[in-house]
Amino acid sequence: MDYKKALHKASSLCSRQEYCRSDIKKKLEKWDLPASDSEKVIQKLVTEKFIDEERFSSFYVRDKFRFNKWGRRKIMWQLRQKGIDQETIYQALEQIDPDEYNEKLQEVIREKIRQVKNKEPIRQKAAVIRNAVSRGYEYEEIMPLVEQLLLKK
């Protein structure tokens, strides 16, 4: 694929959905575009605001939190994997409302409590905690809610 065709195809993709630099770079590699042209395409897309890491991070945080019910840690780790800088990640994570975060965590915990087949309290508690931690929620925030919700049961 040549530079012009790659630029057109990449800009078309970016106009339909948010992408970060690393996602577009992977696509360009898959299209067998030379590294020098690949960098030019990415620069052009950034210059023309097709790629905006801050905008991407904001959408990513919002989507993964609301729809996937991920916690801050998992979202942060995934954004780091995509090569987003730390400051941009922190700014995007600050958009999460603490009350909404707590509600989502409670929802995740309640959902797992219903799913756990083993009703032995220690095993049930361990399964619920493991699930919440694997979704990226902080242990310090999980524990009080697990205690509270398991006692209500």
Side-chain angles (χ1 to χ4, degrees):
M1 185 177 289
D2 68 333
Y3 169 80
K4 276 191 168 189
K5 191 173 180 182
L7 178 63
H8 178 71
K9 195 171 179 180
S11 61
S12 176
L13 280 173
C14 291
S15 65
R16 284 181 269 150
Q17 181 182 334
E18 287 297 329
Y19 286 96
C20 63
R21 287 174 183 250
S22 64
D23 289 345
I24 293 298
K25 189 172 186 171
K26 286 177 190 169
K27 291 200 180 290
L28 294 172
E29 287 170 4
K30 196 191 287 184
W31 299 338
D32 294 324
L33 190 69
S36 60
D37 285 346
S38 178
E39 203 47 50
K40 287 181 202 170
V41 168
I42 290 172
Q43 273 312 120
K44 183 80 168 164
L45 293 172
V46 169
T47 304
E48 296 192 6
K49 297 288 186 196
F50 280 103
I51 296 177
D52 184 336
E53 304 270 286
E54 290 176 9
R55 190 175 62 212
F56 170 80
S57 298
S58 293
F59 280 110
Y60 191 88
V61 167
R62 212 173 11 250
D63 286 354
K64 296 302 178 184
F65 173 65
R66 289 211 176 109
F67 302 119
N68 296 34
K69 299 177 189 170
W70 286 1
R72 288 185 197 100
R73 287 189 176 169
K74 186 166 185 171
I75 295 170
M76 183 185 303
W77 187 80
Q78 292 293 326
L79 286 171
R80 280 185 189 154
Q81 292 294 101
K82 291 184 175 290
I84 307 296
D85 70 276
Q86 201 65 33
E87 186 61 34
T88 304
I89 293 172
Y90 286 134
Q91 286 175 356
L93 287 172
E94 284 179 6
Q95 296 176 7
I96 299 175
D97 177 47
D99 294 332
E100 193 178 346
Y101 190 77
N102 194 24
E103 286 173 32
K104 215 44 112 172
L105 176 54
Q106 285 183 37
E107 192 179 311
V108 165
I109 291 170
R110 281 192 193 101
E111 196 175 289
K112 189 62 181 179
I113 289 172
R114 281 192 303 273
Q115 292 174 356
V116 175
K117 289 180 174 59
N118 192 335
K119 297 301 176 189
E120 185 182 326
I122 292 174
R123 291 183 189 265
Q124 185 180 33
K125 184 177 178 180
V128 170
I129 292 168
R130 235 184 348 265
N131 178 61
V133 168
S134 74
R135 285 184 174 227
Y137 289 94
E138 297 83 356
Y139 185 79
E140 306 78 41
E141 294 190 30
I142 296 168
M143 286 310 297
L145 290 175
V146 168
E147 298 287 341
Q148 177 188 352
L149 294 171
L150 281 175
L151 288 176
K152 280 185 179 178
K153 227 183 79 169

